[in-house]
């Protein structure tokens, strides 16, 4: 297992189109996170899963965004009716569950960069 | 609400020298962790070092160490003997047990340049 994989690495789309990103976490990790990073900013939390259950969602995750982790393994993040403001790097991370959230060591993927024209 | 502030958008250091990156934070919690993450260009973010708020001793990892000032809510990163491979964007981040859930709060980042 070589780490967290994200696909595609870069997606260019026209406004109004739907896009889907995939994340393959480290196989033994039961937690999976999605963050969004805009240019010159730090990542912002979107959502996280423990196994297949989506346990927390940020208010940043509008109703155009949906994330799934159907079998507790890979995850998809879909953005419907994309807007130019959706242009960002979408980061996936995974970790084991620890008693304290700070004890989790997140392993990040390289990200999927979305450009909405 | 929790906040993390990095007031240095850019820093530079000569190879083999020492550089300190600043971070301040705000939280009402007493049980939290602080982190420094490194994000090289076009590569994934990796954890550099972390500090548990209950531990008074400053964390160290090889050439990386922190100066954790809990009362001042300051958490700076010192990189000793800087190497060209240290060039990256560095993010300070915070997570607390009660208010964060499982979400990290990141600062805006500091772009570190290492000059040969």
């Amino acid at each position: 297992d070589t780490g967290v994989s994200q696909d595609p690495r870069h997606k260019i789309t026209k406004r109004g189109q739907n896009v889907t990103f995939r994340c393959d976490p480290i196989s033994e990790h039961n937690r999976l996170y999605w963050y969004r990073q805009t240019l010159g900013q730090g990542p912002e939390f979107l959502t996280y899963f423990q196994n297949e259950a989506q346990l927390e969602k940020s208010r940043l995750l509008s109703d155009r965004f949906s994330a799934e982790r159907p079998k507790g393994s890979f995850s998809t993040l879909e953005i419907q009716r994309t807007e130019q403001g959706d242009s960002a790097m979408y980061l996936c991370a995974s970790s084991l569950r620890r008693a304290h959230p700070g004890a989790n060591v997140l392993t990040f993927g390289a990200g999927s960069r979305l450009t909405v024209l | 609400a929790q906040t993390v502030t990095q007031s240095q958008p850019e820093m530079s250091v000569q190879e083999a020298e020492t550089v300190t990156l600043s971070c301040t934070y705000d939280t009402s919690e007493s049980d939290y962790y602080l982190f420094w993450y490194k994000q090289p260009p076009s590569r994934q973010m990796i954890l550099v070092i972390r500090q548990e708020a209950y531990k008074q001793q400053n964390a160290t990892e090889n050439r990386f160490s922190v100066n954790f000032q809990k009362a001042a809510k300051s958490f700076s990163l010192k990189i000793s003997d800087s190497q060209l491979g240290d060039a990256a964007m560095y993010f300070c981040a915070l997570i607390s047990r009660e208010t964060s859930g499982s979400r990290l709060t990141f600062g805006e980042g500091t772009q570190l340049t290492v000059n040969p």
Side-chain angles (χ1 to χ4, degrees):
Chain A
D1 201 5
T2 56
V4 178
S5 299
Q6 293 190 243
D7 184 69
R9 293 291 309 277
H10 195 182
K11 177 72 175 179
I12 301 173
T13 191
K14 293 181 179 179
R15 187 177 54 188
Q17 298 294 305
N18 299 342
V19 296
T20 299
F21 300 114
R22 176 181 170 122
C23 173
D24 287 90
I26 292 174
S27 57
E28 59 265 31
H29 284 181
N30 50 12
R31 285 200 167 178
L32 186 148
Y33 311 79
W34 286 99
Y35 283 80
R36 182 174 72 183
Q37 184 178 20
T38 53
L39 201 61
Q41 298 296 316
E44 297 173 293
F45 172 83
L46 292 178
T47 187
Y48 93 94
F49 293 83
Q50 183 163 305
N51 300 314
E52 67 275 10
Q54 188 174 19
L55 296 187
E56 191 174 348
K57 293 195 292 186
S58 163
R59 58 178 173 78
L60 293 175
L61 213 66
S62 74
D63 55 5
R64 296 185 298 105
F65 288 70
S66 62
E68 294 182 343
R69 194 183 183 196
K71 297 183 179 179
S73 57
F74 73 91
S75 176
T76 57
L77 177 67
E78 181 183 16
I79 309 174
Q80 296 182 327
R81 306 181 303 281
T82 53
E83 302 173 355
Q84 288 185 326
D86 297 331
S87 295
M89 178 77 84
Y90 291 85
L91 300 172
C92 177
S94 68
S95 77
L96 292 169
R97 179 182 181 276
R98 300 295 186 199
H100 191 295
N104 295 333
V105 176
L106 270 64
T107 301
F108 282 86
S112 292
R113 181 169 296 282
L114 174 64
T115 302
V116 182
L117 302 176
Chain B
Q2 296 180 132
T3 59
V4 176
T5 303
Q6 294 177 248
S7 58
Q8 306 157 316
E10 298 177 349
M11 291 283 286
S12 63
V13 63
Q14 291 296 126
E15 197 174 2
E17 297 295 309
T18 296
V19 64
T20 298
L21 309 184
S22 300
C23 172
T24 58
Y25 62 93
D26 191 26
T27 179
S28 58
E29 300 298 321
S30 59
D31 184 6
Y32 56 90
Y33 279 71
L34 291 158
F35 305 83
W36 279 98
Y37 279 89
K38 169 186 178 181
Q39 188 176 40
S42 301
R43 294 180 61 187
Q44 59 259 55
M45 195 170 308
I46 59 173
L47 178 65
V48 175
I49 198 166
R50 67 177 170 178
Q51 174 82 40
E52 186 175 357
Y54 278 115
K55 292 187 176 179
Q56 293 187 343
Q57 187 173 4
N58 289 325
T60 63
E61 289 286 344
N62 301 313
R63 297 182 295 107
F64 299 87
S65 62
V66 298
N67 183 6
F68 175 44
Q69 300 290 325
K70 191 172 184 178
K73 294 184 178 177
S74 170
F75 183 62
S76 60
L77 174 70
K78 186 172 80 172
I79 306 174
S80 303
D81 186 24
S82 297
Q83 300 175 0
L84 295 177
D86 294 333
M89 181 73 86
Y90 286 81
F91 292 98
C92 180
L94 163 72
I95 193 167
S96 65
R97 180 189 287 277
E98 293 299 326
T99 58
S100 292
S102 287
R103 60 179 72 189
L104 281 164
T105 300
F106 286 88
E108 306 90 337
T110 297
Q111 181 68 53
L112 177 66
T113 301
V114 181
N115 299 310

